[in-house]
Amino acid sequence: MNRSFFFIILAFILIAIDWYVWQGLRLAIRNLTPVTQKWISFGYWSFTVATLIAYVGMQLLPPDFFGRTTRTFILAFIAIPYLSKLLAVLVLLIDDVRRLFQWLLGFIFPSALPVSPETGETAIPRSEFLAKTAMVAGAGLMGTFAFGIISGAHDYRIRRVRVPLKNLPKAFDGIKIGQLSDIHSGSFFNKTAVKGGVEMMMKEKPDLVFFTGDLVNDRASEVEDYIHIFDKLKAPLGVHSTLGNHDYGDYFQWASMDAKRRNLADLKEAHKLMGWNLMLDENKAIRVDGEEIGLIGIQNWGVKFAQYGNLEKAHRGTQDFPVKLLLSHDPSHWRTQVLPQYNDIDLAFAGHTHGMQFGVEIGKLKWSPSQYRYKEWAGLYQEDNQYLYVNRGFGYLGYPGRVGILPEITMLELVRA
């Protein structure tokens, strides 16, 4: 479809949504004073016009006109109000479906139609209750998303997990592993908060640190301003990392394949500058007091995402390790390839899902739209004697915030079963 034609059609759809919601808003506020109604109307349409201008500007101006952070917030300024209005539309549609059925009933049985006490004519009025419900629902969702940007984006939470492994050497009993995932440095807008998150992990004094991919959104240059922050991640047994689907630059329009290859090389160099051991389809021994376990790290491998990783190559030569840990960005890899083919991998670490940055986690209640895409999407999972831990992500992508599913710093303790 022609881009200009799509832009015009979408603009008409947005305006139609605005007008439809406005009809409900007028009903919801009709009992307020005329002055209050005018101010609410002015506020609604002023904000709506500003949103539409932002949408038009994003379409007409060059993609590089705005910086990445500014562009992200403009997109949020457009998307959040319309997602909220769509929720209001759904509630209003319930009322209109009711009115439609009532009209059809009245068409067949005219006497069934209600009569207006003011005019004496038949009428099927909108429900004021549903109109108010629609406005409250829409405003509530918009407020929730706004709060998720202001408060949730950098509200780091430490999650403590204990995993019993039956063949764990005695020297590793009680070892603490810190995990970060999905940093997405190109999305950050609060460097001080990011630094605070790193400091939170270091106060936990991990013995070993893992990073499971997506250091950037697309370009290696995004992490340049954060190298001096993430190079503070230290651990006696090292910081070990791997790549995620965003790290390859597959979602960016490069001038040439050479430019894309240089970007990936620059990203690998960033891992080196931070003192991280980037593992690309390989394994190594982690040694403590003369005993050792195996660490395997592969490139991204995911269902419906790029499959650069080669687990067969990475696994080769690990047969003598009593325990094997795997770094693999996408949790779908665990169920698709690890469980069916590698029953000697005791514990895998992943990220990728972000928990959709939206959901509910209260006690044992855990819900996110992410669960409809991934069977394993956040927390610890077990199949027989094999485990997977899915980190909820340190950063964010697209929506510059988090609601319910907060950014995570994992502290995982290995214990002997």
Side-chain angles (χ1 to χ4, degrees):
M1 184 185 291
N2 182 275
R3 187 173 182 272
S4 298
F5 181 72
F6 177 79
F7 160 63
I8 294 171
I9 292 297
L10 184 55
F12 274 112
I13 291 173
L14 296 180
I15 293 171
I17 291 172
D18 294 327
W19 185 256
Y20 189 67
V21 173
W22 165 240
Q23 302 308 309
L25 179 62
R26 284 203 318 179
L27 177 59
I29 65 174
R30 67 177 182 174
N31 293 324
L32 301 178
T33 66
V35 173
T36 303
Q37 290 184 49
K38 286 181 180 179
W39 275 110
I40 292 175
S41 302
F42 176 78
Y44 176 84
W45 283 112
S46 296
F47 187 72
T48 295
V49 170
T51 307
L52 290 171
I53 289 174
Y55 169 69
V56 173
M58 289 292 285
Q59 301 300 317
L60 299 181
L61 293 172
D64 58 352
F65 184 84
F66 301 105
R68 177 175 286 274
T69 300
T70 302
R71 186 177 180 84
T72 297
F73 274 91
I74 292 175
L75 288 172
F77 178 73
I78 298 168
I80 290 174
Y82 280 103
L83 285 172
S84 304
K85 287 178 182 178
L86 280 175
L87 179 59
V89 165
L90 289 175
V91 178
L92 291 172
L93 280 174
I94 294 172
D95 190 28
D96 282 340
V97 169
R98 174 193 66 82
R99 295 171 69 211
L100 175 62
F101 276 107
Q102 195 169 353
W103 179 84
L104 290 173
L105 182 64
F107 183 78
I108 299 171
F109 305 103
S111 60
L113 281 174
V115 178
S116 170
E118 298 175 357
T119 65
E121 298 177 355
T122 58
I124 308 175
R126 282 184 178 271
S127 165
E128 185 174 342
F129 170 76
L130 284 177
K132 289 180 178 179
T133 301
M135 297 308 109
V136 170
L141 183 61
M142 186 159 65
T144 298
F145 276 122
F147 182 78
I149 296 174
I150 297 169
S151 177
H154 300 283
D155 189 8
Y156 303 112
R157 299 299 174 91
I158 295 175
R159 294 187 176 269
R160 306 179 194 281
V161 184
R162 297 176 85 244
V163 178
L165 300 179
K166 62 179 182 178
N167 296 320
L168 187 69
K170 186 175 181 180
F172 288 86
D173 189 20
I175 190 172
K176 292 197 300 182
I177 300 173
Q179 183 194 5
L180 295 183
S181 192
D182 300 271
I183 285 174
H184 288 286
S185 51
S187 298
F188 288 144
F189 60 88
N190 188 335
K191 190 178 291 186
T192 300
V194 174
K195 182 180 177 182
V198 171
E199 291 171 350
M200 282 178 68
M201 171 174 273
M202 294 315 299
K203 287 179 181 178
E204 295 293 312
K205 301 185 185 308
D207 300 300
L208 190 61
V209 170
F210 294 155
F211 172 69
T212 44
D214 279 359
L215 181 61
V216 298
N217 295 337
D218 300 296
R219 292 169 288 180
S221 58
E222 296 167 11
V223 77
E224 289 177 357
D225 290 340
Y226 293 90
I227 286 177
H228 72 285
I229 292 178
F230 289 110
D231 67 3
K232 302 300 187 295
L233 285 173
K234 305 290 183 185
L237 299 177
V239 180
H240 306 275
S241 60
T242 191
L243 298 178
N245 55 300
H246 280 267
D247 293 323
Y248 298 91
D250 289 344
Y251 313 121
F252 186 77
Q253 295 295 319
W254 299 98
S256 66
M257 286 304 298
D258 282 341
K260 184 180 179 182
R261 282 190 287 268
R262 285 196 301 272
N263 180 74
L264 183 56
D266 291 342
L267 185 73
K268 293 176 181 178
E269 181 64 20
H271 282 251
K272 185 177 179 181
L273 289 172
M274 292 186 294
W276 298 4
N277 171 43
L278 179 61
M279 302 187 70
L280 304 173
D281 303 332
E282 57 192 284
N283 66 76
K284 68 170 296 180
I286 304 294
R287 295 184 177 87
V288 175
D289 296 337
E291 296 185 299
E292 62 183 22
I293 61 175
L295 178 61
I296 302 169
I298 74 162
Q299 299 186 70
N300 189 74
W301 196 106
V303 176
K304 297 184 180 180
F305 283 91
Q307 297 180 356
Y308 293 102
N310 186 335
L311 184 52
E312 180 183 0
K313 174 186 174 184
H315 184 269
R316 199 174 298 141
T318 63
Q319 62 274 6
D320 293 333
F321 293 125
V323 164
K324 301 177 184 69
L325 310 181
L326 171 67
L327 307 184
S328 179
H329 175 70
D330 192 318
S332 65
H333 180 226
W334 187 65
R335 185 161 296 279
T336 306
Q337 190 178 70
V338 177
L339 292 181
Q341 301 178 36
Y342 298 90
N343 60 9
D344 61 342
I345 291 178
D346 301 274
L347 172 59
F349 294 80
H352 181 63
T353 73
H354 303 205
M356 284 284 223
Q357 299 168 212
F358 182 87
V360 176
E361 289 194 89
I362 303 174
K364 293 184 179 180
L365 174 62
K366 187 170 77 169
W367 174 88
S368 164
S370 186
Q371 69 191 55
Y372 305 118
R373 171 68 176 83
Y374 295 94
K375 186 169 184 178
E376 293 83 24
W377 59 276
L380 185 67
Y381 300 88
Q382 180 181 4
E383 288 283 343
D384 296 325
N385 293 318
Q386 293 180 272
Y387 293 89
L388 167 70
Y389 190 84
V390 184
N391 181 284
R392 294 159 180 80
F394 186 82
Y396 37 86
L397 182 67
Y399 167 57
R402 284 176 175 261
V403 175
I405 309 296
L406 299 174
E408 175 177 354
I409 297 167
T410 308
M411 291 305 303
L412 188 145
E413 181 184 5
L414 300 183
V415 295
R416 301 179 77 190

